[in-house]
Amino acid sequence: MIDVSPGSVDIREKLNAIHLNVFYGSFQAIKDASLKMAAKTVTALIGPSGCGKSTFLRALNRMHDLTPGARVEGEVTLDGQDIYAPDADPVVIRHRIGMVFQRPNPFPKTIYENVAYGPKIHGERDKATLDATVERSLRQAALWDEVKDRLNRSALDLSGGQQQRMCIARVLAVEPEVILMDEPASALDPIATSKIEDLIGELKKEFSVVIVTHSMQQAARISEYTAFFHLGEIIEFGTTTNIFTRPREKKTEDYITGRFG
Amino acid sequence: MSDVPKTDNRSHRQGIGEATQVVASLWFSVGKETLSVISLQAAKSHRNERIAVNVLRGAAVFVIFAIAVLIVYLAFEGTKTFSVDKFPVWKFLFSSDYDPGNNLGGSAVFITGTLLVTGFAIVVGGPFGIAVGVFLSEVAPARMAQILKPAIELLVGIPSVVYGWLGLTLLVPFLRTHTSSPSGFGLAAAGIVLSIMILPTVISLSEDAFRSLPVSLREGSMALGSTRWQMITGVLLPSASSGLTVALILGIARAIGEALAVQMVIGNSSQFPRGIFAPTASLTTEIVIDMGGAPQGSFQEHVLFSMALLLLLIAMALILLVRFALRGRG
């Protein structure tokens, strides 16, 4: 019925959601969603507000564990291993699958301490190594030149766009394999947004990126694959080009042509 | 005009007194005849408004007046030691020669006693209280926190004489048998009682400080693969520092002003404590013990007033510190 059935799109997947259901109390926010997310590419999740795309994203690194009343059924595999298996450690999983949130969430610490926080909690104590990691991560996040002279200033003094790039650097510093992004540019101005988009283009060379976005233009600009969500279900999944030029489902076509949403 | 019916409804709910007023005003309106009912009601509601504002203003002025009188009176009486009796301020603060019958008002023992028992209370009760606050906010299951939180807030309402009584009947005999203290009364007994007394304040306020932190901080830390413990120590504790400072300062304020419970267990000996279990005295306990016997206008009474003034100044300084700490929160 839908294009997500295994085999319909030939993907060497990094992350694989299999018959995923997410409940908030008795409300079912995600209904039997299956999706393969390829390695070293950008997969965009689009759909109208409240369609469950953020809920789906948060199920991919067990963030729902932190939400009282939320329940996840089904499987999500990372390199073939189920992250919801009873012996899977959410701390290890989130180390390998990082997340960038809709609103920048800098810790009330210095820029340096923000970026070094991840490596430190994973046991890195060596100052020189930490310095190198902080610099590498900030360079990767295209922020180094703007902050290299004020690493010891509070991260809260940065602009919104800089804070968001710092939050991306903070994730990069723990060297995850997958980066989940929940509308990372929705709170930013157009210039900051385009910087983030450029950055995502760089990141996919090394990381697998799954990004929720409100903006269809953004999905079209940055992603290889796109999944269209509606009312908690994945209506259609395919290459971004196909989704935007030759959608096979009526709902997808209605959405991308702006008839609802 | 739009708010007139609302005000009118409210006045109807206020009972018979209000009802007679309404009748009276209607009768009044008939007498005047020139005013329509609507406009008269509007005028009435405005009059109620004026009365309400004046009642509230009067209450506020009275309270401010009472506080001002208290402070001025205390400042006036509390400085007589230095102005009338010519006893030097530095001796009051730093000398331990306390013999008011012979015009010696050195209060260093009591000041030290206050600082020591308060310090004891905050060093023991502070971290413990913050730990329980963290537990309630971050670790305890929701149901458990829902039951424990009001229970702990209830503890604030336990009269200090009850704490003192328990200290006297349980703690003092325990210290007498299990420590070097011959009587059990002393610094440690007072400090432990105070530690327990400040717990509800510190727990409740530090829990609030943690709960007020945005979810995004927790998620940000967890999404980097932190454990809950790493999140608490690495992100939440530093982020909540201003709120925790307030919790500790208000804990100190509660400890420093406590007289009764301390007086019951501290031993009331006008000497520096020779150890943690030795008896001593504090500003509050000395005031409680001596105030009955101090002749009016005597040097002793003046010295006691000076001690009270010092306590007031410390309390004020603590409140200013709270304001300062909260300002950092933005």
Side-chain angles (χ1 to χ4, degrees):
Chain A
M1 135 205 157
I2 320 170
D3 206 4
V4 292
S5 54
S8 62
V9 179
D10 188 25
I11 285 177
R12 192 171 55 81
E13 78 269 14
K14 180 74 183 172
L15 263 183
N16 191 3
I18 304 158
H19 299 299
L20 202 65
N21 293 290
V22 183
F23 302 84
Y24 294 123
S26 57
F27 171 71
Q28 185 167 8
I30 293 292
K31 294 164 192 153
D32 196 34
S34 294
L35 185 66
K36 290 179 173 179
M37 287 147 281
K40 303 200 175 172
T41 54
V42 177
T43 305
L45 313 181
I46 63 168
S49 299
C51 68
K53 51 195 191 298
S54 290
T55 301
F56 180 82
L57 189 79
R58 293 167 63 89
L60 299 180
N61 69 339
R62 294 192 54 169
M63 286 308 278
H64 289 303
D65 291 12
L66 311 178
T67 316
R71 189 159 52 83
V72 178
E73 289 173 1
E75 264 180 57
V76 176
T77 62
L78 174 66
D79 292 334
Q81 288 176 291
D82 184 13
I83 67 169
Y84 284 98
D87 60 345
D89 182 357
V91 169
V92 175
I93 289 159
R94 297 190 198 110
H95 186 179
R96 293 177 63 187
I97 309 176
M99 190 165 204
V100 177
F101 297 86
Q102 186 167 4
R103 298 198 150 272
N105 54 350
F107 304 138
K109 300 163 176 271
T110 65
I111 297 167
Y112 182 94
E113 286 299 326
N114 262 277
V115 181
Y117 175 74
K120 275 186 181 170
I121 59 174
H122 295 299
E124 185 55 65
R125 288 278 169 271
D126 182 53
K127 179 84 171 79
T129 314
L130 283 173
D131 288 352
T133 306
V134 168
E135 178 171 349
R136 172 183 58 76
S137 309
L138 285 169
R139 279 191 192 281
Q140 266 183 309
L143 189 61
W144 175 252
D145 289 333
E146 292 164 57
V147 300
K148 65 181 177 212
D149 298 324
R150 45 176 176 150
L151 292 175
N152 290 318
R153 295 263 297 278
S154 169
L156 301 177
D157 295 341
L158 296 172
S159 73
Q162 289 173 325
Q163 286 186 358
Q164 191 65 303
R165 275 180 285 148
M166 190 206 71
C167 291
I168 293 173
R170 200 167 65 184
V171 171
L172 297 177
V174 301
E175 301 182 49
E177 297 156 44
V178 181
I179 301 175
L180 309 176
M181 297 186 162
D182 189 359
E183 302 195 39
S186 68
L188 306 180
D189 63 69
I191 293 172
T193 300
S194 89
K195 282 188 179 168
I196 299 278
E197 288 184 8
D198 293 346
L199 176 56
I200 293 168
E202 286 298 311
L203 293 181
K204 73 178 175 195
K205 293 173 186 166
E206 277 184 65
F207 306 93
S208 310
V209 178
V210 183
I211 181 169
V212 165
T213 174
H214 229 77
S215 149
M216 283 175 284
Q217 291 81 0
Q218 188 171 65
R221 279 195 298 266
I222 63 177
S223 69
E224 279 76 32
Y225 296 97
T226 297
F228 170 60
F229 281 71
H230 187 240
L231 298 176
E233 292 180 80
I234 298 178
I235 303 298
E236 188 167 351
F237 172 66
T239 63
T240 300
T241 320
N242 280 341
I243 291 281
F244 281 98
T245 56
R246 292 182 292 278
R248 281 181 293 149
E249 297 289 326
K250 181 77 169 64
K251 271 186 196 155
T252 316
E253 187 181 343
D254 287 351
Y255 181 68
I256 61 172
T257 52
R259 241 165 278 171
F260 76 94
Chain B
M1 287 305 284
S2 65
D3 64 335
V4 169
K6 212 165 55 183
T7 319
D8 199 38
N9 275 341
R10 205 179 304 148
S11 72
H12 279 302
R13 255 185 264 127
Q14 282 173 348
I16 295 168
E18 204 63 27
T20 47
Q21 227 180 356
V22 172
V23 172
S25 66
L26 281 176
W27 179 80
F28 190 59
S29 78
V30 173
K32 277 214 165 176
E33 278 178 348
T34 47
L35 292 168
S36 73
V37 174
I38 298 286
S39 66
L40 184 64
Q41 280 176 334
K44 191 183 96 61
S45 74
H46 287 169
R47 201 168 63 236
N48 279 351
E49 173 105 348
R50 261 204 319 278
I51 292 168
V53 166
N54 281 327
V55 167
L56 297 178
R57 189 177 287 145
V61 166
F62 177 77
V63 168
I64 293 168
F65 176 74
I67 293 172
V69 164
L70 193 144
I71 293 174
V72 169
Y73 179 69
L74 207 49
F76 182 69
E77 292 289 332
T79 49
K80 277 186 179 169
T81 310
F82 318 114
S83 61
V84 177
D85 304 317
K86 305 292 179 205
F87 191 75
V89 177
W90 68 267
K91 270 197 170 175
F92 169 74
L93 291 174
F94 300 112
S95 160
S96 60
D97 293 330
Y98 185 73
D99 186 1
N102 291 316
N103 279 9
L104 288 173
S107 302
V109 167
F110 314 122
I111 296 170
T112 309
T114 288
L115 294 178
L116 284 176
V117 291
T118 306
F120 190 116
I122 210 68
V123 165
V124 174
F128 197 68
I130 289 176
V132 178
V134 171
F135 174 78
L136 287 179
S137 164
E138 305 300 322
V139 183
R143 282 289 297 277
M144 193 178 185
Q146 272 167 17
I147 297 167
L148 276 178
K149 170 102 171 155
I152 285 166
E153 279 166 356
L154 211 65
L155 291 178
V156 182
I158 295 181
S160 53
V161 67
V162 175
Y163 284 103
W165 180 246
L166 291 176
L168 195 63
T169 53
L170 296 176
L171 186 62
V172 169
F174 178 85
L175 290 174
R176 182 160 53 221
T177 40
H178 290 92
T179 70
S180 60
S181 167
S183 67
F185 292 98
L187 190 58
I192 292 169
V193 167
L194 277 183
S195 307
I196 296 168
M197 288 183 76
I198 67 168
L199 271 181
T201 307
V202 178
I203 291 172
S204 189
L205 289 170
S206 53
E207 193 209 348
D208 290 346
F210 279 101
R211 279 206 193 278
S212 68
L213 294 175
V215 178
S216 65
L217 284 181
R218 296 182 173 84
E219 291 186 339
S221 175
M222 296 304 263
L224 293 169
S226 75
T227 62
R228 200 147 57 162
W229 176 245
Q230 288 169 330
M231 169 188 82
I232 289 168
T233 54
V235 175
L236 299 188
L237 265 175
S239 305
S241 60
S242 67
L244 296 179
T245 309
V246 171
L248 290 179
I249 293 173
L250 290 179
I252 292 174
R254 175 135 166 78
I256 222 164
E258 180 51 44
L260 198 52
V262 177
Q263 187 261 329
M264 289 165 85
V265 298
I266 198 171
N268 303 306
S269 149
S270 306
Q271 55 180 350
F272 289 117
R274 294 220 178 75
I276 196 165
F277 298 110
T280 181
S282 76
L283 288 170
T284 51
T285 62
E286 194 55 28
I287 294 173
V288 167
I289 288 172
D290 281 2
M291 64 185 177
Q296 212 177 351
S298 69
F299 176 71
Q300 184 175 17
E301 194 200 42
H302 294 165
V303 173
L304 293 180
F305 266 116
S306 299
M307 293 185 199
L309 179 62
L310 184 61
L311 281 170
L312 180 76
L313 292 176
I314 295 172
M316 281 177 161
L318 289 175
I319 297 300
L320 285 178
L321 268 177
V322 169
R323 295 245 149 191
F324 187 70
L326 280 176
R327 196 178 307 159
R329 216 187 275 189

